[in-house]
Amino acid sequence: MTMITAIDTTPRIWVGCLACYNNGNLTGEWFDAIEGDDITLGDVHGGAQYVSPGCEELWVLDHENLPLKGECSPHDAAQVALVVEEVHESDREAFIAWALSGDQIEDGDGLPSTSDFEERYCGTWASFREFAENLADDIALLDGIPDEIARYFDWQSWTRDLAFDYTTCNIDSGVYVFRSI
Ligand SMILES: [Zn+2]
């Protein structure tokens, strides 16, 4: 498993005023996403309450370290951030990848389930093949089989069949592996 160190995984949101944005005045600020419900118009207007006609609604126009596709309200971002912050920092990038994978399990509120993630996450590997070979060791797949026979074992087919039960997300250093079943 790869050790991930010193990566900032704090969920952040760039919040702007929707009316200003629609008037072509891109005014906003970065915040910790968890504070989404406490952000005010003044916070994104440099202190002023109203800048454009209709200043009212705050909107998340950009974000980082959150499993969100596109824009949302600061409230929704804060709800997702609470879930992300339940996950240990070293696993957050994997959690976010899983939550966006299409294979994630959601709880009753439509948020990715951290307990399902923990059950399914099998670590970060250089390749799925490396994961498969490690698993074969763990389950003692070829134990008791003489080396002169074991060396003919068809790793390629075995790995391909195994892959049906897993989801992988590619990253620069390899793959995140998740159990699908
Ligand atoms: Zn405004």
Side-chain angles (χ1 to χ4, degrees):
M1 248 184 258
T2 313
M3 288 296 290
I4 300 168
T5 49
I7 291 173
D8 184 358
T9 60
T10 307
R12 289 200 181 79
I13 48 178
W14 197 89
V15 180
C17 164
L18 205 52
C20 286
Y21 175 64
N22 289 334
N23 284 309
N25 175 16
L26 194 58
T27 172
E29 293 282 345
W30 282 100
F31 299 90
D32 281 356
I34 209 140
E35 294 166 5
D37 285 322
D38 302 326
I39 300 164
T40 65
L41 282 170
D43 292 334
V44 304
H45 283 145
Q49 196 67 15
Y50 299 101
V51 172
S52 306
C55 285
E56 184 182 358
E57 194 172 359
L58 296 171
W59 202 241
V60 175
L61 296 163
D62 197 3
H63 55 79
E64 57 184 29
N65 300 324
L66 280 173
L68 293 170
K69 286 177 183 159
E71 303 171 358
C72 67
S73 71
H75 173 77
D76 287 351
Q79 297 300 302
V80 178
L82 279 173
V83 176
V84 170
E85 294 197 359
E86 280 174 24
V87 178
H88 190 275
E89 268 184 78
S90 61
D91 290 344
R92 277 187 200 164
E93 288 182 295
F95 177 71
I96 290 167
W98 178 73
L100 291 170
S101 70
D103 204 43
Q104 78 279 12
I105 307 298
E106 294 179 346
D107 65 15
D109 298 321
L111 295 165
S113 157
T114 53
S115 57
D116 273 289
F117 167 75
E118 275 155 26
E119 234 168 77
R120 283 148 201 270
Y121 181 44
C122 302
T124 308
W125 300 86
S127 62
F128 187 74
R129 172 68 177 261
E130 187 195 75
F131 166 76
E133 288 181 8
N134 199 276
L135 180 71
D137 267 353
D138 285 353
I139 63 175
L141 183 71
L142 299 177
D143 268 22
I145 294 171
D147 279 354
E148 55 271 31
I149 295 171
R151 63 193 238 237
Y152 294 107
F153 182 71
D154 188 347
W155 284 105
Q156 213 174 331
S157 299
W158 190 72
T159 303
R160 195 178 53 226
D161 286 350
L162 188 71
F164 286 115
D165 297 334
Y166 293 85
T167 300
T168 56
C169 297
N170 292 317
I171 52 170
D172 287 349
S173 58
V175 288
Y176 297 131
V177 177
F178 305 99
R179 211 172 281 117
S180 301
I181 43 171

